Amino acid sequence: MKNAVQHWSGGKDSALCLYHARRNPQLRVTHLLTTLNEHYQRVAMHGVRPELLHAQAARIGLPLQPLWLPEMPSMAEYEQRMAASLHSLQQQADVTVSVFGDLHLQDLRAYREQQLTQQGLEAAFPIWHKPAAELLAEFFDLGFRAVVVCTNEQHLDASFCGRELDRDFLRDLPPGVDACGENGEYHSFVYDAPYFSRPIPVVRSEKVRRVYQPAGNATSTDKDDCYRSQPDPFAAGFWYCDLLLGPDADPV
């Protein structure tokens, strides 16, 4: 059995990926690794507060390894910090495998595999090429529950942000929008899962619009990284629903 780290965004893909990784008799997931934005103090691109991330880790029963990134990371800086985090896990927990919830982006998979090979690590993609309808049906049938916390307004208007990720949400998606949000149409936060010790009580707070544009010398590596704030009205606009821990949440 090989020790593995789950690259964890807190959203539906990484949550379902972890479900399958935990059922793989050849893997033992020992840690969660999440990229966060130092400037905004939020999960990269998802906009989720760190305390919600820690609530997920506590309910899963796995230690969380945060990877803090500056507001405008260069590719070199991203790779350096990621390599340092993974090296730490190699040394501390004998991790030899990195697990990702990617679905279809072949160039992203190739990039990950190339970077990990240089570090003496393997990559695993438990839900790779799983059809969207099958993946989402499994997500709902297993009892996962999630809130849509970010939408790209080029694909979805603000009304979709903050909604429950359920079958009604999928039915309302406009034509051309990937049901799994594989092209960055939306991101989610999972507040209940079959391997959670208990659900996370969440409260929907304000919606905020932010405008981003890809950094000039960067190639996106995670659909979450390498973005920087810009006042340019023609850059990509995103809506975020701020989630708060409910008043009856356990301290984390």
Side-chain angles (χ1 to χ4, degrees):
M1 184 177 290
K2 300 176 180 179
N3 287 350
V5 56
Q6 168 74 54
H7 290 252
W8 178 262
S9 69
K12 63 170 177 49
D13 293 341
S14 62
L16 190 55
C17 174
L18 178 60
Y19 173 83
H20 285 280
R22 288 163 65 103
R23 292 167 63 86
N24 185 335
Q26 298 180 358
L27 294 178
R28 180 194 294 112
V29 178
T30 64
H31 289 75
L32 306 174
L33 174 62
T34 306
T35 57
L36 297 103
N37 185 298
E38 289 175 336
H39 178 76
Y40 291 109
Q41 293 290 299
R42 302 294 178 101
V43 176
M45 200 58 202
H46 290 228
V48 171
R49 294 172 180 265
E51 53 263 37
L52 288 164
L53 187 66
H54 285 285
Q56 288 179 320
R59 282 156 176 78
I60 296 169
L62 289 176
L64 177 71
Q65 174 112 350
L67 195 171
W68 291 96
L69 295 172
E71 184 182 8
M72 302 187 305
S74 66
M75 282 301 296
E77 190 164 20
Y78 169 85
E79 291 171 356
Q80 181 181 27
R81 294 198 185 194
M82 177 62 76
S85 291
L86 292 174
H87 180 72
S88 174
L89 292 172
Q90 286 176 290
Q91 297 297 310
Q92 296 175 18
D94 194 27
V95 164
T96 61
V97 180
S98 281
V99 182
F100 300 94
D102 298 319
L103 297 174
H104 305 298
L105 301 180
Q106 184 60 52
D107 57 341
L108 177 56
R109 175 169 178 161
Y111 170 82
R112 296 200 196 282
E113 291 173 333
Q114 178 187 39
Q115 294 297 309
L116 291 172
T117 297
Q118 295 174 7
Q119 202 160 340
L121 290 167
E122 301 175 38
F125 302 86
I127 57 175
W128 181 253
H129 276 345
K130 193 162 190 172
E134 179 182 335
L135 184 146
L136 290 165
E138 182 179 38
F139 185 83
F140 299 137
D141 292 344
L142 287 171
F144 286 92
R145 301 186 68 184
V147 177
V148 175
V149 290
C150 173
T151 56
N152 183 333
E153 67 181 13
Q154 293 180 337
H155 304 281
L156 298 172
D157 63 45
S159 69
F160 285 90
C161 188
R163 285 184 56 172
E164 186 79 8
L165 178 55
D166 54 17
R167 290 180 172 87
D168 287 339
F169 176 87
L170 299 180
R171 281 192 289 268
D172 291 342
L173 290 177
V177 171
D178 185 270
C180 289
E182 181 69 353
N183 301 307
E185 293 97 333
Y186 70 90
H187 298 289
S188 59
F189 174 80
V190 171
Y191 64 88
D192 198 10
Y195 46 74
F196 278 16
S197 60
R198 57 198 179 280
I200 301 171
V202 294
V203 176
R204 292 163 175 81
S205 186
E206 65 177 341
K207 289 185 185 180
V208 176
R209 181 180 183 269
R210 296 196 182 280
V211 179
Y212 299 94
Q213 147 178 331
N217 63 345
T219 301
S220 177
T221 61
D222 206 6
K223 297 181 292 181
D224 296 346
D225 303 315
C226 306
Y227 285 86
R228 59 189 175 91
S229 298
Q230 287 288 333
D232 180 1
F234 298 104
F238 294 84
W239 284 95
Y240 293 91
C241 177
D242 190 19
L243 290 185
L244 306 175
L245 280 175
D248 55 344
D250 297 330
V252 292

